[in-house]
Amino acid sequence: MITFQRIDGTPVYYWRSSRGDTTLRNWQATQAFYDSLVLWIRDLRSLSSAYGSITYLVSAGFYVNKPGEHGSGTAMDLDHVRWSGGQVSSPLDRDHASGTLATRRRYLAVDAVCRRRFRYALDGWYNADHADHIHSDFGGLPVRCVTGSESDTKFVQALCNNFMSSGLVVDGIWGPKTDSAFATAKSRLGTTGDPHTSSAAWQSFLSAAARKGFANQAF
Amino acid sequence: MLDRRTFVLGAAATAALAGALPAHAAAPTPASDAAANPRKAAGVFRTPDGATVMLADQDGRWVVIDEGGSVRITDGLTGADLVDVTGDGVTCHAVGALSGDPVATVWESTDGVSWREVRRLHGVRSQFTAVGGGLAFGSVLKHERASLVRIAARRTPSGWATVPVRGLEWTDGLSATAVTATADGWVVAAVDISGTVLHTSRDGVTWTARPRLDGVAVRGLAAVDGHVHWVGNEMVDATPLTGVLDADRTRPAVPADAKALGLAGARSGWLTGGRLITAEATR
């Protein structure tokens, strides 16, 4: 386990006890997980470069002494992202359920970037326990779009609804309507290959979706 | 007895023995190497002979390690993904799941070294995550291993039987981290995004929420002298903490990087630098 205060130079704050607190905290994670966090934030910087640099992140925890990935030091709970251009994405404020489409799209863009590097990303659509943060962990690598995963399916359904007005029920069940909407999304985003079997194809899809989300553009 | 087969040998002697003896007999390993880096610790417990030891995964094998660093390789735990362990001075119980597609399972031992499976929940992806006072708590799991609904099993004269739980529905997305018997029932802990939620029950079926412990992940509970003690780590900096329910929390006299393993009676167990250390639960 290593201790860190920043991810690749970007400070990570804790707001659960005091919102706006900019005290640097001593987070812990495995070296391998931290290395993935570095790749993740570089993805995030690259895909959201129009917003400027990332000023800070806010997290609810990495290593936490409890069963599962947190207890192994291989998980992150993301609360908030702030860019130098003034933009924010705030899972802590339940941005996935915002009444503003641009806010939901930005949330989905951050969500997509998490899924590029972490097999399991549990977001506000997944269940009530993740309504105020995005959980990302190492479980079940490699990254792919798994139709049997409630998390992946709900993400795809929410994505299609918010960028293509697909009108899907976000129920986590991969049925023919979700399959059809996903095929349309893949085509519109120029994805080649099968995201269900190819990590590269899934990552390509997620990058394209994230670019659209940060730009607030339908596809 | 734990001590009877426990030795500390040099590396060369251990290597020579390892090839000649069956796995359970080749247990002695150098203290400095054996305890250097257990990958995962299920917890700390008191063996029937009174020793306080931790049950840890080391190189894919479950081993029992004492404070001196002596290691015993267990048997009967092949394929186990253990999460918690307890001992009442007579019998030891470990809980978790069978590896792979998880199946919640309880194991039992009378010496802490030789274990046997005593209950398995068939037909559902599940895992037990806390055991104590004759109760095992766990969850039915989603594909992503997130908790879908909380479950419990109770030790009866004829074995471990699943029991309903009421009053915990609002915490179905959480996994229990500790449970213990008290003078008038049980108390169970589960960790959410910002701290620990606690429930008490008189009958082990109907549960009532009690004041939460914010900012700390509780890993162990034990009733000692009429008080319920807890051990854990802060949510953010993972600072070691102990306390008594309805009283103040304190920094125990353990290294700052120590991770709480649980409570074995009046002693708390901590993992630091790959080693087990214990302290008085009240300190």
Side-chain angles (χ1 to χ4, degrees):
Chain A
M1 207 84 80
I2 64 163
T3 300
F4 61 96
Q5 297 178 325
R6 297 175 172 84
I7 299 173
D8 199 32
T10 300
V12 187
Y13 302 134
Y14 182 73
W15 284 3
R16 293 279 169 167
S17 53
S18 176
R19 183 158 182 131
D21 188 350
T22 55
T23 305
L24 288 172
R25 311 302 294 255
N26 291 317
W27 306 100
Q28 295 182 25
T30 65
Q31 182 67 59
F33 191 76
Y34 178 81
D35 291 345
S36 288
L37 291 172
V38 171
L39 297 176
W40 166 78
I41 200 169
R42 290 178 182 178
D43 287 350
L44 188 59
R45 287 175 183 143
S46 172
L47 292 164
S48 64
S49 58
Y51 291 178
S53 59
I54 298 173
T55 311
Y56 59 81
L57 302 170
V58 181
S59 175
F62 295 85
Y63 166 80
V64 178
N65 193 348
K66 63 180 181 179
E69 299 290 331
H70 279 291
S72 299
T74 54
M76 167 180 70
D77 286 336
L78 180 66
D79 273 357
H80 194 91
V81 185
R82 164 86 182 197
W83 286 268
S84 61
Q87 296 89 346
V88 300
S89 182
S90 186
L92 180 61
D93 294 312
R94 301 167 190 251
D95 275 2
H96 75 287
S98 168
T100 303
L101 179 60
T103 301
R104 297 197 303 274
R105 285 178 171 171
R106 189 178 297 158
Y107 178 100
L108 283 161
V110 173
D111 197 339
V113 179
C114 291
R115 291 168 192 275
R116 274 184 53 80
R117 296 294 175 184
F118 304 106
R119 173 66 195 88
Y120 291 132
L122 311 181
D123 59 21
W125 285 280
Y126 182 67
N127 65 10
D129 291 292
H130 296 89
D132 64 355
H133 65 282
I134 298 175
H135 166 101
S136 302
D137 73 45
F138 256 8
L141 286 171
V143 294
R144 278 184 198 137
C145 180
V146 176
T147 58
S149 162
E150 181 180 335
S151 168
D152 291 353
T153 303
K154 284 184 170 176
F155 168 75
V156 166
Q157 291 168 334
L159 196 73
C160 292
N161 286 348
N162 281 282
F163 288 88
M164 304 194 308
S165 300
S166 298
L168 300 171
V169 176
V170 182
D171 58 4
I173 300 169
W174 193 286
K177 290 180 181 175
T178 300
D179 200 53
S180 174
F182 185 56
T184 302
K186 278 193 303 178
S187 174
R188 292 182 182 177
L189 292 173
T191 304
T192 57
D194 183 359
H196 300 310
T197 58
S198 162
S199 295
W202 180 229
Q203 288 177 316
S204 172
F205 176 89
L206 293 167
S207 291
R211 284 192 191 93
K212 292 290 188 181
F214 288 124
N216 187 25
Q217 294 175 345
F219 53 79
Chain B
M1 299 290 285
L2 188 67
D3 290 338
R4 184 157 48 87
R5 293 189 293 171
T6 302
F7 306 94
V8 178
L9 301 179
T14 303
L17 278 171
L21 298 177
H24 69 275
T29 43
S32 57
D33 292 340
N37 189 26
R39 185 171 63 86
K40 174 184 175 185
V44 65
F45 67 106
R46 193 176 60 217
T47 62
D49 63 357
T52 301
V53 299
M54 72 172 168
L55 185 58
D57 179 331
Q58 186 173 278
D59 300 327
R61 295 180 300 193
W62 287 102
V63 298
V64 172
I65 307 175
D66 69 16
E67 271 197 276
S70 296
V71 177
R72 300 288 311 282
I73 297 175
T74 66
D75 58 60
L77 293 174
T78 301
D81 182 7
L82 301 179
V83 183
D84 196 17
V85 62
T86 189
D88 61 11
V90 178
T91 309
C92 313
H93 290 101
V95 297
L98 294 172
S99 299
D101 216 18
V103 178
T105 305
V106 181
W107 289 264
E108 185 174 285
S109 172
T110 54
D111 64 1
V113 176
S114 296
W115 295 80
R116 67 186 181 94
E117 181 184 320
V118 292
R119 186 72 167 94
R120 183 191 301 195
L121 299 189
H122 292 280
V124 61
R125 288 172 55 85
S126 56
Q127 181 182 36
F128 286 123
T129 55
V131 62
L135 270 183
F137 262 91
S139 299
V140 174
L141 301 175
K142 294 188 178 187
H143 173 87
E144 298 83 1
R145 295 190 75 134
S147 175
L148 175 64
V149 64
R150 297 178 72 173
I151 54 175
R154 187 166 178 176
R155 189 183 184 200
T156 70
S158 58
W160 287 79
T162 54
V163 292
V165 287
R166 303 188 189 102
L168 298 176
E169 295 82 2
W170 68 281
T171 62
D172 270 343
L174 308 179
S175 297
T177 56
V179 60
T180 192
T182 64
D184 55 357
W186 289 269
V187 58
V188 63
V191 176
D192 66 9
I193 191 68
S194 58
T196 300
V197 295
L198 296 158
H199 287 82
T200 56
S201 174
R202 289 185 177 276
D203 61 5
V205 174
T206 301
W207 296 83
T208 303
R210 53 162 297 130
R212 52 181 293 130
L213 287 167
D214 279 322
V216 60
V218 168
R219 183 67 175 82
L221 291 163
V224 181
D225 297 333
H227 300 286
V228 178
H229 293 252
W230 58 264
V231 295
N233 291 86
E234 282 190 346
M235 298 291 288
V236 182
D237 300 326
T239 303
L241 287 174
T242 65
V244 174
L245 294 188
D246 302 320
D248 290 339
R249 60 185 69 181
T250 59
R251 286 279 309 276
V254 298
D257 70 345
K259 305 296 188 293
L261 292 171
L263 286 154
R267 295 199 73 76
S268 58
W270 305 83
L271 181 63
T272 176
R275 288 184 171 277
L276 168 70
I277 59 172
T278 68
E280 288 296 321
T282 53
R283 300 177 66 185

